[in-house]
Amino acid sequence: MDYAYTLIILLLPLVTFLGLGLLSKRLPVALAGIIGTANLFIIAALSCATAFTYFTQEAGEAGFEAIEAYKITWLPLTDKLIIHLGILLDPLSVMMLVVITLVSAMVHLYSIGYMKGEKGYTRYFAFLSLFTFSMLGLVVATNIFQMYIFWELVGVSSYLLIGFYYQKPSAVAASKKAFIVTRFADLGFLVGILILSFNTGTFEFQTLTSLQGPVIGQASTAAFMGLSVTTWALLLIFMGGAGKSAMFPLHIWLPDAMEGPTPVSALIHAATMVVAGVYLVARLFPAYALSAPDALTVIMYVGSFTSLFAAVIACTQLDIKRVLAFSTLSQIGYMMVALGVSGYGGEAGLGYMASLFHLFTHAFFKALLFLGAGSVIHAVHSNLMTEMGGLRKSMPVTHLTFLVACLTIAGIPPLSGFFSKDEILVAAFEHNKLIFAVQWLVAGITAFYMFRLYFRIFWNQTPAYHHAPHESPVVMTVPLMFLAIASVVAGFVPFHDLVTSDNKPFETAFHWSIAGPSIAIAVIGILTAAWLYARPSLRPDAISKSLSGVYTAAYNKFYIDEIYLFITKSIIFQFISRPVAWFDRHIVDGTMNFIGNSTVAGSAAIKRMQSGHVQLYIWYFASGVLVLALLILYLN
Amino acid sequence: MTGPKIIFFILAISIVVFSILSITSRKILRAAIYLLFVLVAMAGLYYMMNFPFLAAVQLILYAGGIVVLIIFSILLTSQINSKLEPPRRSHLLSGALTAIAGIALSAVTILQFAFKPSSKPAIGTDMRTIGLQLMGTGENGYALPFEVISILLLAALVGSIFIALKNRT
Amino acid sequence: MNLQAEIPLDYMIILSILVFFIGLMGVLIRRNLITMLMGVELMLNAVNINFTAFNHYLFPHRLEGHFFALIVMAIAAAEAAVAIALIINIYRQFATVSVDDVDELKF
């Protein structure tokens, strides 16, 4: 089967971006959205076709084979170290193609309605196309360097879209924050790439993850501070992934990124870009699992802590998009945990499969949640849940789809979230009981805060609206319905046959002993939320008062931002930047200024000699001749 | 004191005195006339050294040509009666110092060297010899410098006309 | 007439040196362009004394110094012509022939 046509999937969004970007002034505004959306539907169809042909092919002995559909040499650095650009198709990237293009297509369609009448409508679609292009380039990268390039492109498009409302200072600040934090993390990624390629002499994923390759087969024995160089490199690479996936302590940019338009949050900051870290670890998974298990342990703890931490904060936030942002953090934490508890190959690779399964389902239900929230915001013109309530009658479609999404994320069978979360819990249970307990608890908290959100928006007391909220237009509700259906059925995709750590199918068993408690705690969470928030009551306030210290800390996101500010402003700026600036201003600049000033002063002192008086010149000349004659005749 | 010696000293003293007067006189026309005297005395010196042709050229060219030209330009540019400003003290001092130092250096250097007068018979400086040599192209011929000089004079002629031309547009 | 017996060459040279440096001093101290030109003429004549004296005393069998003096005179004539053209032009431009006032070409 020839997959060369997948190049179209990659290049079509780029062409759209360039076209929309260059012609933004000439094009009729309404056309931009239609062009962008039509493009996305084309590539979504192509991606689904690719996935269908790829997964229905006869899997060989070694499972699904990775195919390089396209490959060109880009930078031959040395004879051996060559950077290629290409398209790699394996179960992982094909799955990602489907997720990205489907969600992106839905978001594009939704945006036509959501962004209607906004200033910069064409620019918005151009940036969305750029993002889609970058994200697709990232997932089909054949080598880690290509991935890095698209990784940065994704960061740039995220920056551009967060700062879309550039007249708003908070949006500008948020975009800068997102860019700087992820760039800082990418520093680790880059250093990791350099170490890894220096030690292995290759950038290719296929070599890096091959069982006989230089990373796994002939692991270098060089060690640094008790860990092997490979472990360090993979840890640094994970740092980049943690930055993009907003893992603690690099998570601070994601809640602020909600300043961007809501569909952007749905696409970038929920479904696709923030899972790039998960994708990165999954892409290099054999290397992590077989040559750096210590790194995997770190990933497991970071993921687990982030999921608990974010879930607690999510319970206290009032801005509905921020609740969803922290929920995203928490869910990505789940995926990281699943990778962390996984082993390589066959049954041991359950966690790997579960992680990507959860990535797959999460993309749909979280995008649905964001788009639903966007629909609500569109109707109410506010982000705060205190200004919402009782919307279930006026917005029936939004209400129903939102309910489906909430049930999905809470893990109620037979919705997709239940299956993927259940797999993660099983994998965690087999690996580490403590982690399992934490994740089980987080499942309950998740159910609680999601239904807190649900009840506050759609039930509770109806506040006085400026004008009666009404259901969103069809272009917005159709994506909601599509994603709701996807959320329901995504759980039935036989992932263990398709996307596994060694690309070979394996059998999974269903464990009621794990699923039972997880359903139970989810139901408890939902019921608690219903008890507290379904009707107006004083109970939430009473509880938050009784937990005042913890509540305030969680409401202020445990002061992580303030700690960062303290470290940067009071320590780095004060004790490092100031002296460096002083040194630069006074010593470095001073030297240069001194040289310049002395030249100027010297010329000012001697320029009087150039007086324009001919006689003076003659005198210089004559006395010079005399002195020279004297020197030559008598002084040698 | 023999006759030639007396004449030489008269000429030499008048050259030096008139030179000094020429450069110190505060009336510009007088300075030009003193210069004329210097040039005439110089012609006498040439005559003493048996170069009558050169003495004649000196009289015609310098006294008759250049000095007249200088007087012309003085009349064009200055008021004859007005006195020139005296030289600045600093200029006077530095100029005198330089001149005295130069005189000392040159005199001391040159007088250390003992020139040996030639005993060869003089070639004679009648017009025939000069004419033959000036136009000669063989040994002791000066045809090439002569032609070069003629071109230089032509260039100077054209150049000075061009420079002094009024209302160039 | 042969001067060798009567007047030593050194006398001639000293005369030439004196005239030359008097001329130089004239160039250095006079502020009028025309008198500066006169100083230059003096210097050129001093050189001519040297040429003729060396010819007469040391190489009487040839006429090189003589012709050199002749050429110097021609050059002096050319120089005087150009210089006076320049002076007249400067006078037109600045309405002065004082060298102090003509100092536009400076720093």
Side-chain angles (χ1 to χ4, degrees), chain A residues 226-240:
Chain A
L227 294 175
S228 75
V229 168
T230 316
T231 309
W232 276 109
L234 290 172
L235 270 178
L236 284 167
I237 289 175
F238 170 66
M239 179 180 164

Side-chain angles (χ1 to χ4, degrees), chain A residues 607-608 610-611 613 615 618, chain C residues 27-28 30 99 106-107:
Chain A
K607 80 174 179 184
R608 295 277 146 206
Q610 195 80 20
S611 58
H613 292 288
Q615 283 177 316
I618 299 172
Chain C
V27 174
L28 285 179
R30 298 307 293 261
V99 74
K106 62 183 172 188
F107 48 86

